[in-house]
Amino acid sequence: MAEILPFRKPKASEKHQGKTLCRSGFHKWKVDKGKVFDVKQGKLVTVYRCERCGAVKNELR
Ligand SMILES: [Zn+2]
């Protein structure tokens, strides 16, 4: 019994999914430089960078 599957296009949406997520505010955060001491604020800051779009955010400790 052979089943013929219809030809499936490669999912273009998968490639765009990341940016869509980023635009929705769901970035793929990764620690960029580890913990940095912010002299101005006198606090430890963790720098995160989004792997997909390169956005940066700081997290104060
Ligand atoms: Zn992003």
Side-chain angles (χ1 to χ4, degrees):
M1 182 175 151
E3 196 175 316
I4 298 165
L5 295 168
F7 179 75
R8 285 181 65 191
K9 281 187 189 174
K11 278 187 185 173
S13 60
E14 278 182 1
K15 213 177 181 184
H16 294 286
Q17 196 185 19
K19 281 198 171 178
T20 307
L21 284 167
C22 280
R23 273 198 275 168
S24 307
F26 295 100
H27 294 279
K28 196 178 180 184
W29 298 117
K30 206 177 181 185
V31 177
D32 190 27
K33 292 166 188 168
K35 281 168 187 149
V36 180
F37 190 78
D38 193 314
V39 181
K40 283 180 191 170
Q41 304 194 55
K43 287 176 182 174
L44 272 174
V45 180
T46 307
V47 182
Y48 292 92
R49 186 180 291 273
C50 176
E51 284 189 324
R52 285 188 296 254
C53 71
V56 177
K57 74 165 179 177
N58 298 325
E59 195 175 271
L60 289 169
R61 291 293 162 112

